[in-house]
Amino acid sequence: MNETIRELLTRVGGLPVAVTDLEDGADLYAAGLSSFASVQLMLGLEEAFDIEFPDSLLNRKSFASIAAIEQTVSQILKAREAA
């Protein structure tokens, strides 16, 4: 999952730093992630993991770091499995 998230960030994140240089807990917004890029990232994640982000998780916190994105995607996948 981490690798997929990093690939998507590289493709749509528009970050001025190399994604490979970012720690999992690094603040993506401080690294240059824009609101537009976060939407593009969300769409890419939905396609890559065959999920849909619920409105409750469409916030800055969910996309704050690679670790936060992993946690959010895992939460959505677990909720889908439980349904």
Side-chain angles (χ1 to χ4, degrees):
M1 181 182 301
N2 187 288
E3 186 177 313
T4 302
I5 292 168
R6 287 178 177 277
E7 287 173 9
L8 285 167
L9 267 173
T10 300
R11 197 169 53 211
V12 302
L15 300 177
V17 296
V19 173
T20 54
D21 293 342
L22 293 173
E23 304 243 348
D24 287 349
D27 184 331
L28 294 177
Y29 292 99
L33 186 68
S34 68
S35 296
F36 177 77
S38 66
V39 172
Q40 297 302 308
L41 178 59
M42 179 207 64
L43 294 172
L45 291 165
E46 287 185 334
E47 184 176 325
F49 294 103
D50 191 27
I51 58 173
E52 186 173 325
F53 280 79
D55 289 344
S56 62
L57 294 176
L58 293 178
N59 56 59
R60 191 176 177 103
K61 182 180 169 188
S62 295
F63 299 92
S65 66
I66 293 169
I69 295 167
E70 278 188 286
Q71 183 178 8
T72 302
V73 170
S74 292
Q75 181 181 342
I76 294 168
L77 290 170
K78 285 178 187 170
R80 183 176 69 185
E81 290 172 10

